[in-house]
Amino acid sequence: MKRTRAFEDVLAQIERRIAEDGLTVGDRLPGERQLAEQLGVGRSSVREALRVLETLGVVSSQVGRGPDAGAVLTSRPDTALTDLLRLNLGLATLEQREVVDARLMIERWSAAQAAATGAGVAELAAAIEGMDRAATAEEFVEHDTAFHCAIADASGNRLIAAIMRSLRDAMRRNAIEAVERLGDPSVLRADHERIRAAIAAGDPEEAQQAVTDHLAHAYPALFPGH
């Protein structure tokens, strides 16, 4: 049986401690020395595990607070996911088709959930107003991103919201190119208004169809015959 590396065992133990102690964002982990004693491992293994957690955006190390100062939990799952997605897109291990398919599944579900509860309508309207004021493709995409993240937020599922934010951040350049390719974003603007209206009207089926049609307009090459 393959022997688990020491720091991986420490990672698992730290994760268990976080869960069992009910720690949350802003709470402090025990210091390096204390963790090493509590977990029965060397400080180098603890240090390596904390480095991994910091890279993943789960903790932030506190410099200059003494040897026993613990790292603070700062979990931002969307940050870690964005970095991972951007790397995989850059290395071409993920295709644009796969990312858009993921968006389609997530946004259809999120839009239906939002329509069922009527959540997020004000945020969607504000994002549309921002798109109307946008003078460049970059500005348009900034508010477009806010719109789609607002749909995910309105679903009430924080993991879905984090994944959507990551997908949009990782695909930012592609989104800007899509807007520039269209030239006139009025079609996209109309799509956004249709999605907002469906959610405001509490119509899940129309909200889902509006999302599908919108992504087909933004990425026509990926929706042949639509």
Side-chain angles (χ1 to χ4, degrees), residues 54-102:
E54 187 166 16
T55 300
L56 292 173
V58 176
V59 302
S60 173
S61 62
Q62 300 295 292
V63 180
R65 291 174 180 259
D68 291 319
V72 174
L73 292 173
T74 58
S75 184
R76 284 289 307 279
D78 50 325
T79 302
L81 282 167
T82 299
D83 292 342
L84 184 62
L85 283 169
R86 189 180 292 117
L87 177 62
N88 278 280
L89 285 166
L91 294 173
T93 52
L94 276 178
E95 296 179 2
Q96 186 184 59
R97 159 98 259 173
E98 294 170 302
V99 177
V100 173
D101 280 347

Short mmCIF file of all heavy atoms in Angstrom, two decimals, residues 54-102:
data_model
loop_
_atom_site.label_atom_id
_atom_site.label_comp_id
_atom_site.label_asym_id
_atom_site.label_seq_id
_atom_site.Cartn_x
_atom_site.Cartn_y
_atom_site.Cartn_z
N GLU A 54 -2.55 27.53 2.14
CA GLU A 54 -2.45 28.94 1.75
C GLU A 54 -2.54 29.08 0.23
O GLU A 54 -3.19 29.99 -0.29
CB GLU A 54 -1.16 29.56 2.27
CG GLU A 54 -1.09 31.06 2.05
CD GLU A 54 0.01 31.72 2.86
OE1 GLU A 54 0.90 31.01 3.36
OE2 GLU A 54 -0.02 32.96 2.98
N THR A 55 -1.88 28.17 -0.49
CA THR A 55 -1.94 28.19 -1.95
C THR A 55 -3.37 27.99 -2.45
O THR A 55 -3.79 28.59 -3.44
CB THR A 55 -1.04 27.07 -2.54
OG1 THR A 55 0.31 27.29 -2.11
CG2 THR A 55 -1.08 27.07 -4.06
N LEU A 56 -4.12 27.16 -1.73
CA LEU A 56 -5.51 26.90 -2.10
C LEU A 56 -6.45 28.01 -1.68
O LEU A 56 -7.64 27.98 -1.97
CB LEU A 56 -5.98 25.58 -1.47
CG LEU A 56 -5.32 24.30 -2.00
CD1 LEU A 56 -5.73 23.10 -1.18
CD2 LEU A 56 -5.67 24.08 -3.47
N GLY A 57 -5.92 29.01 -0.95
CA GLY A 57 -6.75 30.12 -0.52
C GLY A 57 -7.59 29.83 0.70
O GLY A 57 -8.56 30.54 0.98
N VAL A 58 -7.24 28.76 1.43
CA VAL A 58 -8.03 28.38 2.61
C VAL A 58 -7.57 29.12 3.86
O VAL A 58 -8.36 29.45 4.72
CB VAL A 58 -7.95 26.85 2.84
CG1 VAL A 58 -8.67 26.44 4.12
CG2 VAL A 58 -8.53 26.11 1.63
N VAL A 59 -6.24 29.37 3.95
CA VAL A 59 -5.72 30.11 5.10
C VAL A 59 -4.81 31.23 4.63
O VAL A 59 -4.31 31.23 3.51
CB VAL A 59 -4.92 29.19 6.07
CG1 VAL A 59 -5.76 28.04 6.57
CG2 VAL A 59 -3.63 28.71 5.44
N SER A 60 -4.60 32.19 5.52
CA SER A 60 -3.66 33.28 5.27
C SER A 60 -2.68 33.30 6.44
O SER A 60 -3.09 33.39 7.59
CB SER A 60 -4.41 34.62 5.20
OG SER A 60 -3.49 35.69 5.12
N SER A 61 -1.39 33.18 6.13
CA SER A 61 -0.41 33.14 7.21
C SER A 61 -0.25 34.53 7.81
O SER A 61 -0.37 35.54 7.12
CB SER A 61 0.94 32.65 6.67
OG SER A 61 1.42 33.54 5.69
N GLN A 62 0.00 34.57 9.10
CA GLN A 62 0.17 35.83 9.81
C GLN A 62 1.65 36.05 10.10
O GLN A 62 2.23 35.41 10.97
CB GLN A 62 -0.63 35.81 11.13
CG GLN A 62 -2.12 35.61 10.90
CD GLN A 62 -2.74 36.77 10.16
OE1 GLN A 62 -2.84 37.88 10.67
NE2 GLN A 62 -3.18 36.53 8.93
N VAL A 63 2.26 36.92 9.34
CA VAL A 63 3.70 37.17 9.48
C VAL A 63 3.95 38.14 10.62
O VAL A 63 3.22 39.10 10.83
CB VAL A 63 4.28 37.75 8.16
CG1 VAL A 63 5.76 38.01 8.30
CG2 VAL A 63 4.00 36.81 7.00
N GLY A 64 5.02 37.88 11.38
CA GLY A 64 5.46 38.81 12.42
C GLY A 64 4.65 38.80 13.69
O GLY A 64 4.65 39.77 14.43
N ARG A 65 3.96 37.70 13.96
CA ARG A 65 3.14 37.62 15.17
C ARG A 65 3.68 36.58 16.15
O ARG A 65 2.96 36.11 17.02
CB ARG A 65 1.69 37.29 14.81
CG ARG A 65 0.97 38.42 14.09
CD ARG A 65 -0.41 37.94 13.64
NE ARG A 65 -1.11 39.00 12.92
CZ ARG A 65 -2.04 39.75 13.48
NH1 ARG A 65 -2.40 39.59 14.73
NH2 ARG A 65 -2.66 40.68 12.77
N GLY A 66 4.92 36.17 15.98
CA GLY A 66 5.50 35.20 16.91
C GLY A 66 5.35 33.78 16.41
O GLY A 66 4.49 33.50 15.57
N PRO A 67 6.15 32.86 16.92
CA PRO A 67 6.17 31.49 16.44
C PRO A 67 4.88 30.72 16.68
O PRO A 67 4.59 29.74 16.02
CB PRO A 67 7.32 30.85 17.20
CG PRO A 67 7.47 31.69 18.44
CD PRO A 67 7.13 33.07 18.01
N ASP A 68 4.09 31.16 17.66
CA ASP A 68 2.87 30.42 17.97
C ASP A 68 1.61 31.04 17.34
O ASP A 68 0.50 30.61 17.62
CB ASP A 68 2.68 30.33 19.49
CG ASP A 68 3.74 29.44 20.13
OD1 ASP A 68 4.04 28.39 19.53
OD2 ASP A 68 4.27 29.80 21.19
N ALA A 69 1.79 32.08 16.53
CA ALA A 69 0.64 32.72 15.89
C ALA A 69 0.09 31.79 14.82
O ALA A 69 0.82 31.29 13.98
CB ALA A 69 1.05 34.05 15.27
N GLY A 70 -1.22 31.52 14.87
CA GLY A 70 -1.81 30.61 13.90
C GLY A 70 -2.28 31.31 12.65
O GLY A 70 -2.55 32.50 12.65
N ALA A 71 -2.36 30.53 11.56
CA ALA A 71 -2.87 31.06 10.31
C ALA A 71 -4.38 31.31 10.45
O ALA A 71 -5.06 30.62 11.21
CB ALA A 71 -2.60 30.08 9.18
N VAL A 72 -4.87 32.29 9.72
CA VAL A 72 -6.29 32.65 9.78
C VAL A 72 -7.03 32.02 8.60
O VAL A 72 -6.56 32.05 7.47
CB VAL A 72 -6.47 34.19 9.75
CG1 VAL A 72 -7.95 34.56 9.66
CG2 VAL A 72 -5.84 34.81 10.98
N LEU A 73 -8.21 31.46 8.88
CA LEU A 73 -9.01 30.86 7.82
C LEU A 73 -9.63 31.96 6.95
O LEU A 73 -10.31 32.85 7.46
CB LEU A 73 -10.14 30.00 8.43
CG LEU A 73 -9.68 28.74 9.16
CD1 LEU A 73 -10.87 28.07 9.86
CD2 LEU A 73 -9.03 27.76 8.20
N THR A 74 -9.35 31.88 5.64
CA THR A 74 -9.83 32.93 4.73
C THR A 74 -10.49 32.31 3.51
O THR A 74 -10.43 32.86 2.43
CB THR A 74 -8.66 33.81 4.25
OG1 THR A 74 -7.70 32.96 3.59
CG2 THR A 74 -8.00 34.53 5.39
N SER A 75 -11.05 31.13 3.69
CA SER A 75 -11.51 30.33 2.56
C SER A 75 -12.25 31.12 1.50
O SER A 75 -13.27 31.74 1.75
CB SER A 75 -12.42 29.20 3.05
OG SER A 75 -12.78 28.38 1.98
N ARG A 76 -11.71 31.10 0.28
CA ARG A 76 -12.36 31.68 -0.88
C ARG A 76 -12.31 30.63 -1.97
O ARG A 76 -11.42 30.62 -2.81
CB ARG A 76 -11.60 32.94 -1.34
CG ARG A 76 -11.82 34.17 -0.51
CD ARG A 76 -13.23 34.73 -0.70
NE ARG A 76 -13.54 34.94 -2.12
CZ ARG A 76 -13.14 35.99 -2.81
NH1 ARG A 76 -12.41 36.93 -2.25
NH2 ARG A 76 -13.46 36.13 -4.07
N PRO A 77 -13.25 29.68 -1.98
CA PRO A 77 -13.20 28.59 -2.96
C PRO A 77 -13.18 29.08 -4.39
O PRO A 77 -12.59 28.45 -5.26
CB PRO A 77 -14.47 27.77 -2.66
CG PRO A 77 -15.35 28.69 -1.89
CD PRO A 77 -14.44 29.59 -1.12
N ASP A 78 -13.84 30.21 -4.67
CA ASP A 78 -13.88 30.70 -6.05
C ASP A 78 -12.50 31.10 -6.54
O ASP A 78 -12.16 30.94 -7.71
CB ASP A 78 -14.87 31.86 -6.20
CG ASP A 78 -14.68 32.96 -5.18
OD1 ASP A 78 -14.32 32.66 -4.04
OD2 ASP A 78 -14.90 34.13 -5.53
N THR A 79 -11.65 31.64 -5.65
CA THR A 79 -10.30 32.05 -6.03
C THR A 79 -9.47 30.85 -6.46
O THR A 79 -8.82 30.86 -7.51
CB THR A 79 -9.60 32.77 -4.86
OG1 THR A 79 -10.40 33.89 -4.48
CG2 THR A 79 -8.22 33.25 -5.27
N ALA A 80 -9.50 29.80 -5.66
CA ALA A 80 -8.73 28.60 -5.98
C ALA A 80 -9.25 27.95 -7.26
O ALA A 80 -8.48 27.52 -8.12
CB ALA A 80 -8.79 27.61 -4.82
N LEU A 81 -10.58 27.90 -7.42
CA LEU A 81 -11.17 27.31 -8.61
C LEU A 81 -10.82 28.11 -9.86
O LEU A 81 -10.53 27.55 -10.91
CB LEU A 81 -12.69 27.24 -8.46
CG LEU A 81 -13.25 26.11 -7.59
CD1 LEU A 81 -14.72 26.36 -7.29
CD2 LEU A 81 -13.06 24.77 -8.25
N THR A 82 -10.84 29.43 -9.73
CA THR A 82 -10.51 30.29 -10.87
C THR A 82 -9.09 30.03 -11.35
O THR A 82 -8.84 29.89 -12.55
CB THR A 82 -10.66 31.77 -10.50
OG1 THR A 82 -12.01 32.03 -10.13
CG2 THR A 82 -10.29 32.67 -11.68
N ASP A 83 -8.15 29.99 -10.41
CA ASP A 83 -6.75 29.74 -10.77
C ASP A 83 -6.61 28.40 -11.48
O ASP A 83 -5.89 28.27 -12.48
CB ASP A 83 -5.87 29.77 -9.52
CG ASP A 83 -5.78 31.16 -8.92
OD1 ASP A 83 -6.10 32.14 -9.62
OD2 ASP A 83 -5.39 31.28 -7.74
N LEU A 84 -7.29 27.37 -10.95
CA LEU A 84 -7.21 26.04 -11.53
C LEU A 84 -7.81 26.00 -12.93
O LEU A 84 -7.23 25.45 -13.87
CB LEU A 84 -7.93 25.04 -10.62
CG LEU A 84 -7.87 23.57 -11.03
CD1 LEU A 84 -6.44 23.07 -11.02
CD2 LEU A 84 -8.71 22.73 -10.08
N LEU A 85 -8.98 26.62 -13.09
CA LEU A 85 -9.63 26.65 -14.40
C LEU A 85 -8.80 27.42 -15.43
O LEU A 85 -8.65 26.98 -16.56
CB LEU A 85 -11.02 27.28 -14.28
CG LEU A 85 -12.12 26.40 -13.69
CD1 LEU A 85 -13.35 27.23 -13.38
CD2 LEU A 85 -12.48 25.28 -14.66
N ARG A 86 -8.28 28.58 -15.00
CA ARG A 86 -7.49 29.40 -15.93
C ARG A 86 -6.25 28.63 -16.40
O ARG A 86 -5.89 28.68 -17.57
CB ARG A 86 -7.09 30.71 -15.26
CG ARG A 86 -6.46 31.70 -16.25
CD ARG A 86 -6.07 33.00 -15.58
NE ARG A 86 -7.23 33.76 -15.14
CZ ARG A 86 -7.51 34.04 -13.88
NH1 ARG A 86 -6.71 33.63 -12.91
NH2 ARG A 86 -8.57 34.75 -13.58
N LEU A 87 -5.62 27.91 -15.48
CA LEU A 87 -4.43 27.13 -15.83
C LEU A 87 -4.79 26.04 -16.83
O LEU A 87 -4.10 25.84 -17.83
CB LEU A 87 -3.83 26.52 -14.56
CG LEU A 87 -2.60 25.60 -14.76
CD1 LEU A 87 -1.45 26.41 -15.36
CD2 LEU A 87 -2.18 24.98 -13.44
N ASN A 88 -5.89 25.33 -16.57
CA ASN A 88 -6.29 24.24 -17.46
C ASN A 88 -6.73 24.75 -18.83
O ASN A 88 -6.48 24.10 -19.85
CB ASN A 88 -7.40 23.41 -16.82
CG ASN A 88 -6.87 22.39 -15.84
OD1 ASN A 88 -6.40 21.32 -16.23
ND2 ASN A 88 -6.91 22.70 -14.57
N LEU A 89 -7.37 25.93 -18.86
CA LEU A 89 -7.73 26.52 -20.14
C LEU A 89 -6.49 26.94 -20.91
O LEU A 89 -6.38 26.75 -22.11
CB LEU A 89 -8.65 27.72 -19.93
CG LEU A 89 -10.11 27.40 -19.54
CD1 LEU A 89 -10.80 28.65 -19.03
CD2 LEU A 89 -10.85 26.81 -20.72
N GLY A 90 -5.54 27.54 -20.18
CA GLY A 90 -4.29 27.98 -20.80
C GLY A 90 -3.49 26.82 -21.36
O GLY A 90 -2.84 26.94 -22.41
N LEU A 91 -3.52 25.69 -20.69
CA LEU A 91 -2.79 24.51 -21.13
C LEU A 91 -3.58 23.68 -22.14
O LEU A 91 -3.11 22.65 -22.61
CB LEU A 91 -2.45 23.62 -19.92
CG LEU A 91 -1.48 24.22 -18.90
CD1 LEU A 91 -1.38 23.31 -17.68
CD2 LEU A 91 -0.10 24.42 -19.52
N ALA A 92 -4.79 24.14 -22.44
CA ALA A 92 -5.67 23.48 -23.40
C ALA A 92 -6.08 22.08 -22.94
O ALA A 92 -6.39 21.21 -23.76
CB ALA A 92 -5.01 23.41 -24.78
N THR A 93 -6.05 21.83 -21.63
CA THR A 93 -6.55 20.55 -21.12
C THR A 93 -8.07 20.63 -20.94
O THR A 93 -8.72 19.61 -20.74
CB THR A 93 -5.89 20.18 -19.78
OG1 THR A 93 -6.01 21.27 -18.86
CG2 THR A 93 -4.41 19.88 -19.98
N LEU A 94 -8.60 21.86 -20.98
CA LEU A 94 -10.05 22.06 -20.99
C LEU A 94 -10.39 22.84 -22.26
O LEU A 94 -9.70 23.77 -22.63
CB LEU A 94 -10.51 22.86 -19.78
CG LEU A 94 -10.76 22.14 -18.46
CD1 LEU A 94 -11.17 23.16 -17.40
CD2 LEU A 94 -11.85 21.09 -18.60
N GLU A 95 -11.48 22.46 -22.92
CA GLU A 95 -11.91 23.17 -24.11
C GLU A 95 -13.03 24.15 -23.76
O GLU A 95 -13.75 23.97 -22.79
CB GLU A 95 -12.41 22.17 -25.16
CG GLU A 95 -11.32 21.23 -25.66
CD GLU A 95 -11.85 20.23 -26.68
OE1 GLU A 95 -13.07 20.31 -27.00
OE2 GLU A 95 -11.08 19.38 -27.13
N GLN A 96 -13.15 25.19 -24.58
CA GLN A 96 -14.20 26.19 -24.37
C GLN A 96 -15.58 25.53 -24.36
O GLN A 96 -16.44 25.89 -23.56
CB GLN A 96 -14.15 27.24 -25.47
CG GLN A 96 -15.12 28.40 -25.24
CD GLN A 96 -15.11 29.39 -26.38
OE1 GLN A 96 -15.39 29.03 -27.52
NE2 GLN A 96 -14.78 30.63 -26.10
N ARG A 97 -15.77 24.52 -25.20
CA ARG A 97 -17.04 23.80 -25.25
C ARG A 97 -17.41 23.24 -23.88
O ARG A 97 -18.56 23.30 -23.45
CB ARG A 97 -16.92 22.66 -26.27
CG ARG A 97 -17.91 21.54 -26.13
CD ARG A 97 -19.06 21.70 -27.08
NE ARG A 97 -20.25 22.22 -26.45
CZ ARG A 97 -21.34 22.57 -27.08
NH1 ARG A 97 -21.39 22.52 -28.40
NH2 ARG A 97 -22.39 23.01 -26.45
N GLU A 98 -16.41 22.68 -23.18
CA GLU A 98 -16.66 22.08 -21.86
C GLU A 98 -17.07 23.13 -20.84
O GLU A 98 -17.95 22.90 -20.00
CB GLU A 98 -15.41 21.32 -21.40
CG GLU A 98 -15.09 20.11 -22.26
CD GLU A 98 -13.75 19.49 -21.95
OE1 GLU A 98 -12.73 20.21 -22.05
OE2 GLU A 98 -13.71 18.30 -21.61
N VAL A 99 -16.41 24.28 -20.90
CA VAL A 99 -16.72 25.36 -19.95
C VAL A 99 -18.12 25.92 -20.22
O VAL A 99 -18.90 26.15 -19.29
CB VAL A 99 -15.66 26.48 -20.03
CG1 VAL A 99 -16.03 27.62 -19.09
CG2 VAL A 99 -14.28 25.93 -19.66
N VAL A 100 -18.45 26.13 -21.49
CA VAL A 100 -19.77 26.66 -21.83
C VAL A 100 -20.86 25.65 -21.48
O VAL A 100 -21.94 26.02 -21.00
CB VAL A 100 -19.83 27.06 -23.32
CG1 VAL A 100 -21.26 27.47 -23.71
CG2 VAL A 100 -18.87 28.22 -23.60
N ASP A 101 -20.59 24.36 -21.69
CA ASP A 101 -21.56 23.33 -21.30
C ASP A 101 -21.81 23.38 -19.79
O ASP A 101 -22.95 23.24 -19.33
CB ASP A 101 -21.04 21.93 -21.67
CG ASP A 101 -21.25 21.59 -23.14
OD1 ASP A 101 -22.01 22.32 -23.80
OD2 ASP A 101 -20.66 20.60 -23.60
N ALA A 102 -20.72 23.55 -19.03
CA ALA A 102 -20.85 23.64 -17.56
C ALA A 102 -21.68 24.87 -17.19
O ALA A 102 -22.55 24.80 -16.31
CB ALA A 102 -19.47 23.71 -16.91
#
